[in-house]
Amino acid sequence: MNTPTHAIVNLSLIGKLPLSQFNLPIVIGGIIPDLPIFVFYFWAKFVRKLPESQIWSEAYYQPLCQNAGALFHSIPLAVLGWIIGYYGGWQTMQILYLSLILHSLLDLPVHNSDAHRHFFPFSNYRFISPLSYWDREHYGTIVALIELLLVIIATCNCFSFVQSVVGKGLMLA
Ligand SMILES: [Zn+2]
């Protein structure tokens, strides 16, 4: 799934504007798992100056990039983070890790050849979904359309939070 989609959908699913102090950790948690991929792309494109085709067919599959992606997309490690937040009484940390978990859960059904090891470091298992969010050979066009719809629905959902808060504000005024 595209990174901005994660931020918007996570915000829509676990965010509530009255609890706006949690919106930033939700957005950050929605983006963090893909950070190693951004760093890798920047390095491959602008430092190594590799062609686009080589970046995604070879360099992306090097162990360092794959392990970083697996670490940041690890569901058990994110659950561990949430548990630490829960027992420490740190609500922001819980929300952040909840958003990380949701990112991985939403990635699971839409990654085919580029599937992450979501149970790393305990298992190297990859769920190879028959669907892909980008690969046309695995329904990428349909999945991209559904993703776009999700973004629109999530944005409307976020917008309705704004309306309800503004509405309450007007009633109080
Ligand atoms: Zn991801």
Side-chain angles (χ1 to χ4, degrees), residues 6 33-34 73 103 107 116:
H6 284 290
D34 290 341
H73 281 86
H103 178 119
D107 265 354
H116 298 293

Side-chain angles (χ1 to χ4, degrees), residues 2-20:
N2 290 293
T3 311
T5 307
H6 284 290
I8 294 166
V9 171
N10 286 11
L11 199 56
S12 166
L13 290 176
I14 47 181
K16 294 271 183 281
L17 269 181
L19 298 170
S20 60

